[in-house]
Amino acid sequence: MLPKIHIIATGGTIAGKSSEKGYVAGKTSIEEILSAVPELKEIARLDFEQFCNIGSQDMDETIWLALSKRVDSLLLSEEYDGVVITHGTDTMEETACFLNWTIHSAKPVVLVGSMRPSDALDADGPANLLVAVRGAADVKNAGKEVLLCLGKKLLESSEAFKKDSHEIDALGCVPPDFRAPHGKNFGFDIRNENVLPRVGIVYGYGGASTIPLQAFMDAGYDGVVLAGVGGGNFYSPVQRLAEKAVRMGMLIVRSTRCPYGGVYTLGGEVDDLKLGFVAAGSLNPQKARVLLMLALTETRDVEKIRLKFQGVN
Ligand code: GLU
């Protein structure tokens, strides 16, 4: 018997339709999308649900929590061998990491998107969907991280990031990092969580303003990820304010706006151990934010949060 795969549709360009000015994400139903790929029936037995129909710029913590709980309960049932989630590509890496760190099953989970709307001449959604369903139906992908599918390729969530805002092959890949938080034994139990701790991102640049960080502090945020320059460095006034934020009980994670290389405590210019910062490792700022929100559901202890960023439960 063919494997049984459940498809959860959330929107994105794969469900987009052309408009006069460009296109609108999240316009086509999952039935219509699936009917364009009859070959899927030869790979798996499928059922599906329309979870939401949004551009992924509108993904948020509320949807992540609900989606994770839904995928977890589907995969805990004997009925399903894997799950495919259609998703916009803008924030696909964040959703993938959230699911990767919160789903308790080893069965394959694949997020799939497209860069061209469903009615474009060069629509890439159908071929990507075929690769995604094949990936979710393949037992060789059991135990792997949550996967992302774009450009007819499958990439693991800790490595994949959106590198291109236009081209069809829009996902880049950082080299695998054995110190990164992944693997079957790493994760969080969010089944009883209804809201997540508040974590913001502050971008670094020459002459950076302290206003964004001060605003997060004034609003009582639990944590901030600094998307620093180079190896996680900051314009001095921002760093001094971050030191003050730590003294006031905020969790500060240092990451980098560079796509490659990461930020580590040893060998850098900032003394994390003395100043109470956490290094993001190879996680980019948006993935580090997801991890910090999850870590803060368990602890506010900086030592324990440092361990989470090294993949230690
Ligand atoms: N804003 C859209 C989204 O993320 C465009 C990107 C895409 O899906 O390709 O849903």
Side-chain angles (χ1 to χ4, degrees):
M1 199 162 36
L2 290 175
K4 182 141 185 203
I5 303 299
H6 188 77
I7 301 191
I8 299 179
T10 73
T13 301
I14 194 166
K17 280 217 162 114
S18 307
S19 71
E20 258 170 41
K21 288 191 190 144
Y23 73 94
V24 186
K27 279 278 160 201
T28 312
S29 71
I30 185 64
E31 284 102 320
E32 257 183 275
I33 297 171
L34 292 176
S35 66
V37 199
E39 299 87 339
L40 291 172
K41 292 202 186 76
E42 291 159 27
I43 301 168
R45 292 173 295 137
L46 298 177
D47 60 19
F48 56 83
E49 68 186 277
Q50 190 79 52
F51 194 80
C52 53
N53 212 354
I54 58 173
S56 70
Q57 59 270 41
D58 285 325
M59 277 288 157
D60 59 23
E61 297 87 336
T62 308
I63 302 177
W64 286 337
L65 281 169
L67 190 58
S68 171
K69 289 172 191 175
R70 177 72 182 134
V71 175
D72 223 14
S73 70
L74 285 164
L75 292 182
L76 287 176
S77 105
E78 297 270 298
E79 195 180 348
Y80 295 105
D81 299 291
V83 164
V84 168
I85 302 168
T86 61
H87 196 291
T89 59
D90 287 353
T91 62
M92 191 188 257
E93 69 208 61
E94 289 158 74
T95 304
C97 280
F98 189 90
L99 297 177
N100 193 47
W101 293 323
T102 56
I103 287 171
H104 300 87
S105 169
K107 293 176 189 172
V109 177
V110 184
L111 274 72
V112 60
S114 77
M115 291 297 286
R116 303 289 177 264
S118 58
D119 58 351
L121 265 183
D122 56 348
D124 50 330
N128 289 340
L129 197 55
L130 204 57
V131 173
V133 172
R134 226 179 247 139
D138 188 344
V139 285
K140 287 202 287 297
N141 288 326
K144 285 196 184 160
E145 293 182 17
V146 168
L147 298 166
L148 292 81
C149 178
L150 201 65
K152 295 192 271 182
K153 283 187 305 217
L154 292 171
L155 294 173
E156 292 196 289
S157 55
S158 63
E159 296 160 22
F161 68 101
K162 187 167 181 179
K163 67 169 184 192
D164 198 304
S165 60
H166 183 72
E167 288 303 322
I168 278 183
D169 196 10
L171 288 185
C173 191
V174 296
D177 177 2
F178 69 93
R179 294 163 291 190
H182 57 79
K184 266 199 284 183
N185 299 323
F186 181 79
F188 300 87
D189 190 349
I190 48 88
R191 280 172 289 197
N192 293 322
E193 307 290 342
N194 294 316
V195 281
L196 290 174
R198 290 193 300 164
V199 175
I201 297 176
V202 168
Y203 205 79
Y205 51 95
S209 168
T210 55
I211 292 172
L213 178 55
Q214 186 65 59
F216 282 127
M217 290 163 68
D218 293 344
Y221 268 51
D222 303 287
V224 160
V225 174
L226 297 167
V229 294
N233 299 315
F234 300 95
Y235 191 50
S236 298
V238 177
Q239 181 170 325
R240 281 196 294 276
L241 188 60
E243 291 169 20
K244 183 175 167 198
V246 168
R247 289 195 295 274
M248 289 168 61
M250 186 184 253
L251 267 295
I252 298 280
V253 172
R254 289 190 309 121
S255 64
T256 175
R257 64 185 197 176
C258 300
Y260 302 102
V263 171
Y264 297 91
T265 285
L266 294 179
E269 293 174 64
V270 180
D271 191 341
D272 287 329
L273 301 180
K274 182 171 147 212
L275 302 174
F277 299 152
V278 177
S282 57
L283 296 179
N284 65 24
Q286 55 273 30
K287 292 181 181 182
R289 172 178 176 265
V290 171
L291 184 58
L292 182 56
M293 285 193 299
L294 290 171
L296 282 165
T297 63
E298 287 188 4
T299 181
R300 296 190 68 92
D301 182 302
V302 68
E303 277 305 326
K304 289 191 181 141
I305 289 184
R306 282 198 183 111
L307 287 173
K308 302 283 184 203
F309 275 82
Q310 290 156 27
V312 180
N313 261 331

